[in-house]
Amino acid sequence: MAAASHRRSLRKRRTLVVSAAVVAAGVGAGVVVMNANAAPVDLYHQTLAAKDGWASSGSGTTGGTKADAAHTFTVSTRAQLVKALGSATDTTPRIIKVSGTIDANTDDAGKKQTCADYASGTGYSLTAYLKAYDPATYGRSKLPSGTQEKARAAAQAKQAKNVVFKVPANTSIVGVPGTKAGITGGMLQIQNVDNVIVRNLTFAATEDCFPQWDPTDGDDGNWNSNYDSVTLRGATHVWADHNTFTDGPHFDSANPKYYGREYQIHDGALDITKGSDLVTVERNQFTNHDKTMLIGSSDTDSVGKLRVSIHHNVWKGIVQRAPLARIGQIHVYNNLYDTTTLNGYAPQYSINSRAKAQVVAENNYWKLPSGAKPAKVLSGDGTGSVAGGGNLVNGTVTDLVAAYNAASSKKIKTTVNWTPALTAGLETSAMNLPTSLATTTGAGVLK
């Protein structure tokens, strides 16, 4: 009897120890929740933990956890994904399990579609487009218009029909563990809907076949593309967790130049704009990308919204916008920034606070290569704020705002009008982040 009682006691103790560890880490941190008597948590029905960033505010973020069997799908092709998503206005809870890698640039039968396929029948030709809008003859004072611009827009619209996936409210899209789950060449569009979860997916090669030339963009003009890998527009209660974002296999260094400017086929990785609100972005990997995360589409986006929590992510090989924040209340904590140039992606800055953004950045870790200056970590327009502390540069506590302000005429303010309260999982020291985040972030970690 004594031996039996002892075994039960051990079992209870194991359960209590593991459960305590889970509570400390926060279920939203993506840990596998288990005890001696229970199976691992079902990823597809997992919801955001209480107090885990802005997306836990109010009603919280539960995605499609209430989906019935008829609205639970496993998809492995573009056509299956489109069918599972259904209408963007249908609010019925749904769970979509992505098994393997879905190529967005395919037709309904699974046949590969190329840029030439999208251009076919539109009259678009890059050669003709370059000739029509050469600044030497067309000038630099107005956007392209006329036959070739209409043809470019038509070709772009054909591609958009294939690669843009509109996500309805109350949806969980989760990669099936062990299948290298992800979407290549596509964009999840989460627009004017509430309560969406995106987890355990690799987003790669989101490319626009038909960038538009804008001679009025900057001093020398720019080629601008459509399609973020994930885009939030007027979306609320969104949880993006354990995903990987990359331009690969085509890096920007391989882009040609036309009119002396890079022919940019990539846009954002994960953009949060047009009044989006109550968003938590955690334990993702952002790598090999230029304009990575935009919060607020303009300086007049939406006052009182754009509340975003960004924590325990890895940023490596990122040029800028990690994030670029406007207007909102943004909490950036326990992230790892490796600013070493990777595959030609040379860093300009990490965090940009502008248009009166209220950023709290605390307990993050920056790895700077030899000769790099902490003053280059931040950027701003003179109206934004960055508060917080405990940020480390190569292991040393560093006042990033002071470093930036000492080298810049457009000073970043150091006070904000809010205090973060939804901070489950906040680590008070950034020292261990280079080690701990190496094995706990990105797609493929969750089991």
Side-chain angles (χ1 to χ4, degrees), residues 5 13 24 41 50 63 82 96 100 114 129-130 133 149 234 267 273 294 301 340 347 379 389 391 401 437 440 447:
S5 175
R13 283 162 57 195
V41 162
V82 170
I96 301 174
T114 67
Y129 190 91
L130 292 173
Y133 307 111
E149 173 55 24
D267 196 10
T273 62
L294 179 65
D301 193 309
T340 305
S379 183
N391 296 299
V401 176
L437 297 186
T440 59
K447 306 297 183 185

Side-chain angles (χ1 to χ4, degrees), residues 93-177:
R94 70 194 62 223
I95 293 172
I96 301 174
K97 307 175 185 180
V98 177
S99 180
T101 302
I102 293 175
D103 188 345
N105 288 294
T106 52
D107 64 16
D108 290 343
K111 180 183 177 182
K112 179 67 178 178
Q113 298 293 286
T114 67
C115 295
D117 292 322
Y118 297 130
S120 179
T122 66
Y124 173 81
S125 158
L126 177 59
T127 300
Y129 190 91
L130 292 173
K131 182 178 180 181
Y133 307 111
D134 187 333
T137 54
Y138 185 79
R140 294 182 174 273
S141 62
K142 59 182 179 178
L143 284 169
S145 63
T147 302
Q148 270 301 301
E149 173 55 24
K150 290 180 180 178
R152 185 205 63 81
Q156 191 176 66
K158 285 180 66 176
Q159 184 182 14
K161 287 181 180 180
N162 265 39
V163 305
V164 177
F165 302 105
K166 298 180 180 180
V167 181
N170 305 317
T171 296
S172 293
I173 306 178
V174 184
V176 176

